[in-house]
Amino acid sequence: MSQVLILIAEDEDRLAAFVEKGLKRNGFETIVAADGVRALQAIEQQPVDLLILDLGLPIKDGWVVLRETRAQYPDLPIIVVTAMTDERDRQQVFQAGANDYLAKPFKFSDLLIQVKSYLT
């Protein structure tokens, strides 16, 4: 079986490192992109199996990444991880094409459950 590749689009270094470490410990390969432009480039350069996306990315924000990625890759699972917890934000996240939503701060175990649900 080939290695599962997860793109972590997160500009907060400590959070990105925390998520990456946990995913690697659970057998996943990861790429980290600290801004929206890099996230979109990473997806174009090599196929990823899942995207973990922060909405507050610099340069191109997560909303742009979400819409562009969904338009190009309709079947790619996208889990939005954000500090925006308003119900309207949550609804907009799903309307823009996200598969799932996790509010910051979150437990890694909750994220891992979501990740596994899309990849198994």
Side-chain angles (χ1 to χ4, degrees):
M1 185 180 128
S2 65
Q3 206 54 29
V4 172
L5 183 61
I6 298 174
L7 173 59
I8 304 162
E10 171 62 62
D11 63 322
E12 206 177 301
D13 291 342
R14 285 177 52 207
L15 182 56
F18 166 74
V19 171
E20 182 177 41
K21 184 178 175 184
L23 290 171
K24 284 186 172 183
R25 210 177 310 126
N26 283 275
F28 298 106
E29 285 292 312
T30 60
I31 304 171
V32 175
D35 64 61
V37 171
R38 287 188 186 145
L40 291 168
Q41 287 171 341
I43 292 168
E44 285 180 23
Q45 287 170 358
Q46 63 188 116
V48 298
D49 298 292
L50 185 135
L51 169 59
I52 297 172
L53 178 63
D54 175 29
L55 294 177
L57 295 173
I59 306 175
K60 279 193 177 183
D61 71 22
W63 291 104
V64 172
V65 175
L66 176 57
R67 286 191 283 275
E68 288 186 19
T69 301
R70 183 51 69 223
Q72 269 190 290
Y73 305 94
D75 299 326
L76 177 68
I78 301 172
I79 300 171
V80 168
V81 178
T82 182
M84 294 183 205
T85 56
D86 185 271
E87 186 57 33
R88 282 182 308 227
D89 292 324
R90 187 180 167 93
Q91 289 171 355
Q92 286 180 323
V93 163
F94 288 114
Q95 287 168 353
N99 296 86
D100 228 323
Y101 175 98
L102 198 58
K104 292 178 183 177
F106 59 88
K107 291 185 196 147
F108 179 77
S109 59
D110 293 339
L111 177 63
L112 188 61
I113 288 167
Q114 287 183 350
V115 166
K116 287 182 174 179
S117 75
Y118 291 104
L119 296 176
T120 53

